[in-house]
Amino acid sequence: MSEPLLTLEIEKLVAGGLGLARDDSGVVLVRGALPGERVTAEVRPGKGVRQGRVTELLRRSPDRVDAPDLPTADLAHASYAAQLEYKRGFVQEALQRIAKIQHEVEPTVASPQEWNYRNTAQYLITPQGFAYRERRGSGPLVFEKDPLVMPQIQAILDKLDPAQLDPATEVAFRASTLTDEVVAALIGAGEPKKFLRASDHLMDAGVAGVSLAEPAGKRFSAGVRLIAGENDILEQFGDVQVRVSAAGFAQVNPPAAGLAYAHAAQLAGKGDHAADLYGGAGAIARHLAPNFRRVTVLDTSAEALARGRQDVATAGLKNVAYRHGDAAEFAEMGADVIVVDPPRAGLDDTARQHIQHSTADRLVYISCDPATWARDVGELARYGWKLGSVTPHDFYPQTSHIEIVSVLNR
């Protein structure tokens, strides 16, 4: 049974890159639509807010451009200048609706590159070729070229025969803008010896190293083992060089992230002790290091902390220390400034309470989710913190995702 077609006027764009429209039955969120457009949309029936997708453009926005239809690029149909303005709007709307704060949001800082910027990608391996994991339930989407990834990754893909990667079910890549190297991680069940042919095929295609990860509900949570070559490669983030791996977390757009990290360090100012509570391998902390007598990095990932300690030792830094622990449970560290860059879920209540009861009088909050950031900012404002500058940074061109760099003071 086909879904009903509706003719709709798109009022605005909301988080997720969805066009908001209304009819007699309420709100409809339309994928692929832009503000000011009149569209025919196929809409799933249901109670509450309904969702649909554009089937025909009846009036086209001047911001619309031709774009590839990719599940990973939900804003590519808008010009890049329009994308930056929409993303600023996402942050502004979250502040007003969720935090209940009227506050100026600075213009979005553009990514140095609009396409071919991703230094990491993970694909399904299918008999038909490499595929995106389709998010809307229509199965894997096989592709020839990925316009979002760095050319170094595409060059490897062009040399690979997916059949030669059996029995792996997925493969992940990490490239370096600094060295042009690529490392890979195969995802599949079984002992490493089962994947030697796949590993050899990847090495022959030019990767610098291959790891193996067991399939798991949470990405790479079941452990990662090195099969061949190098586990990690060197990458430049702003003023510092850090080691990155195919299976470890690191920002996907190093030049854009470097701009945000330098901005965060500027907002943090100077002092005796800065604490970076979701610090990973310490790319942000090392930007803080020139302005503080000591910097403490706290994270739950032993892999990231090990990479960070190696990087600090290589760089000869003496004032950056790494500690294993959860930001929601950190003991009082006597910090002047706290920096947080939490996962999408934001700060939990315990972490907010610890920040409130800390000695810090400044909090630099970096976020990848406007809604959870606004929730936390609203809560901290009720504790007496005052929101300072708020600047969106675009790490993910052609998508609806946005990073926020902000500061709060007592």
Side-chain angles (χ1 to χ4, degrees), residues 354-367:
H354 276 304
I355 290 167
Q356 173 63 10
H357 296 301
S358 74
T359 57
D361 56 12
R362 178 168 297 174
L363 172 69
V364 178
Y365 193 153
I366 303 166
S367 172

Side-chain angles (χ1 to χ4, degrees), residues 318-357:
K318 303 296 186 184
N319 66 331
V320 179
Y322 290 81
R323 286 175 51 178
H324 188 275
D326 192 318
E329 301 168 357
F330 76 92
E332 173 54 56
M333 293 190 288
D336 307 313
V337 176
I338 292 173
V339 178
V340 294
D341 185 6
R344 194 166 297 280
L347 304 173
D348 67 18
D349 186 59
T350 306
R352 288 195 299 269
Q353 291 292 334
H354 276 304
I355 290 167
Q356 173 63 10
H357 296 301

Side-chain angles (χ1 to χ4, degrees), residues 115-127:
W115 294 94
N116 303 117
Y117 61 86
R118 285 189 65 99
N119 72 349
T120 189
Q122 183 172 330
Y123 304 117
L124 295 171
I125 301 169
T126 77

Side-chain angles (χ1 to χ4, degrees), residues 151-401:
Q152 293 89 332
I153 293 177
Q154 186 62 56
I156 298 292
L157 291 170
D158 291 342
K159 297 174 186 175
L160 292 176
D161 174 6
Q164 297 292 310
L165 300 182
D166 184 74
T169 55
E170 296 183 62
V171 60
F173 299 96
R174 175 81 68 177
S176 168
T177 59
L178 181 67
T179 68
D180 288 336
E181 294 173 293
V182 179
V183 286
L186 295 163
I187 294 97
E191 290 301 309
K193 63 183 180 181
K194 291 177 58 179
F195 297 87
L196 292 179
R197 183 185 74 154
S199 174
D200 288 344
H201 186 51
L202 284 162
M203 295 293 284
D204 288 343
V207 304
V210 181
S211 299
L212 174 65
E214 287 278 339
K218 186 179 178 183
R219 195 169 182 259
F220 300 117
S221 61
V224 180
R225 289 176 284 183
L226 182 66
I227 300 178
E230 301 297 323
N231 179 64
D232 47 43
I233 50 182
L234 203 60
E235 181 58 286
Q236 187 82 31
F237 287 89
D239 298 334
V240 306
Q241 293 179 2
V242 300
R243 304 205 70 82
V244 295
S245 67
F249 175 79
Q251 290 293 353
V252 306
N253 187 339
L259 294 175
Y261 296 167
H263 185 189
Q266 178 190 4
L267 294 177
K270 298 183 178 183
D272 179 65
H273 183 202
D276 184 0
L277 301 190
Y278 300 82
I284 298 173
R286 288 174 60 195
H287 280 82
L288 304 174
N291 297 321
F292 289 85
R293 187 176 65 83
R294 60 191 179 106
V295 180
T296 302
V297 178
L298 189 73
D299 203 272
T300 57
S301 169
E303 184 267 346
L305 294 170
R307 281 191 286 116
R309 290 188 182 104
Q310 181 183 351
D311 291 334
V312 164
T314 301
L317 276 177
K318 303 296 186 184
N319 66 331
V320 179
Y322 290 81
R323 286 175 51 178
H324 188 275
D326 192 318
E329 301 168 357
F330 76 92
E332 173 54 56
M333 293 190 288
D336 307 313
V337 176
I338 292 173
V339 178
V340 294
D341 185 6
R344 194 166 297 280
L347 304 173
D348 67 18
D349 186 59
T350 306
R352 288 195 299 269
Q353 291 292 334
H354 276 304
I355 290 167
Q356 173 63 10
H357 296 301
S358 74
T359 57
D361 56 12
R362 178 168 297 174
L363 172 69
V364 178
Y365 193 153
I366 303 166
S367 172
C368 62
D369 188 282
T372 57
W373 168 81
R375 176 204 66 201
D376 293 341
V377 165
E379 192 66 28
L380 290 164
R382 284 185 279 279
Y383 293 164
W385 292 79
K386 183 174 176 59
L387 183 62
S389 72
V390 176
T391 307
H393 281 252
D394 191 16
F395 289 11
Y396 309 96
Q398 318 309 327
T399 82
S400 59
H401 298 295

